[in-house]
């Protein structure tokens, strides 16, 4: 958080140039909140999103697709069991392009950050590195 000195001009700068990413995340949050998902629905939707077969580094995308399909069937069953609106699943699935956009924006911001601050990027937490390592390389740019 950056704070400028001066009596009237205090301005926090949480992520310079991240307004588009932050705005997209809040918009997604708002639209998902409106769906009033149960814990079970949210868990199954999260699993379906995480098990995306279109990731380029996957070696067995067909197996991932089959697993994702089973999760969507379970999600549809859960929605029907709760007597939710019939179009709830389609509304949830309609958020996938926005989620993909958010992911791409996030990767762009990470790459930019990595280029500006390679020493900091190399010290990201292990889980963060594991999740994004397939997308970003945390090598020392001085080695090139």
């Amino acid at each position: 958080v950056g704070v400028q000195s001066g009596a009237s001009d205090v301005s926090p700068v949480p992520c310079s140039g991240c307004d588009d990413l932050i705005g997209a995340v809040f918009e997604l949050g708002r639209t998902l909140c409106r769906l009033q998902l149960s814990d079970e629905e949210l868990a199954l939707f999260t699993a379906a999103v995480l098990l995306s077969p279109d990731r380029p580094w996957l070696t067995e995308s067909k197996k991932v697709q089959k697993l994702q399909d089973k999760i969507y069937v379970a999600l549809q069953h859960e929605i029907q069991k709760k007597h939710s609106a019939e179009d709830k699943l389609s509304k949830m699935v309609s958020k996938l392009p926005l989620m993909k956009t958010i992911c791409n924006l996030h990767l762009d911001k990470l790459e930019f950050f990595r280029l500006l601050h390679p020493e900091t990027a190399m010290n990201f937490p292990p889980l963060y590195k594991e999740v994004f390592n397939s997308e970003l390389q945390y090598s020392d740019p001085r080695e090139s």
Side-chain angles (χ1 to χ4, degrees):
V1 174
V3 179
Q4 298 174 347
S5 61
S8 63
D9 61 347
V10 176
S11 62
V13 183
C15 180
S16 182
C18 292
D19 292 348
D20 52 350
L21 176 61
I22 294 168
V25 169
F26 275 97
E27 178 58 27
L28 176 64
R30 269 193 299 273
T31 58
L32 288 177
C33 265
R34 283 188 212 123
L35 293 176
Q36 298 179 335
L37 302 177
S38 69
D39 290 344
E40 296 83 3
E41 291 165 345
L42 184 58
L44 288 166
F45 185 59
T46 300
V49 169
L50 290 173
L51 290 169
S52 178
D54 65 350
R55 301 189 193 281
W57 63 88
L58 282 178
T59 56
E60 300 201 39
S61 59
K62 289 182 182 181
K63 286 184 179 180
V64 174
Q65 179 66 55
K66 286 181 180 180
L67 187 55
Q68 186 189 50
D69 290 344
K70 289 178 182 179
I71 291 171
Y72 275 123
V73 168
L75 178 56
Q76 181 65 46
H77 176 71
E78 186 64 30
I79 290 169
Q80 290 170 345
K81 186 172 88 175
K82 302 267 193 213
H83 305 291
S84 296
E86 289 183 23
D87 63 342
K88 192 173 199 175
L89 181 59
S90 63
K91 287 180 180 179
M92 293 165 75
V93 171
S94 75
K95 303 305 169 207
L96 293 176
L98 176 58
M99 295 170 96
K100 189 70 154 178
T101 298
I102 289 170
C103 182
N104 290 334
L105 282 170
H106 184 236
L107 290 172
D108 289 347
K109 303 301 180 192
L110 281 175
E111 179 62 15
F112 184 70
F113 182 84
R114 186 191 66 79
L115 292 172
L116 285 178
H117 307 285
E119 65 288 344
T120 303
M122 286 175 44
N123 293 315
F124 279 161
L127 179 59
Y128 202 80
K129 281 183 174 180
E130 184 178 332
V131 169
F132 293 104
N133 196 35
S134 296
E135 306 276 339
L136 299 173
Q137 297 304 313
Y138 293 97
S139 60
D140 190 338
R142 293 168 287 190
E143 293 175 358
S144 307

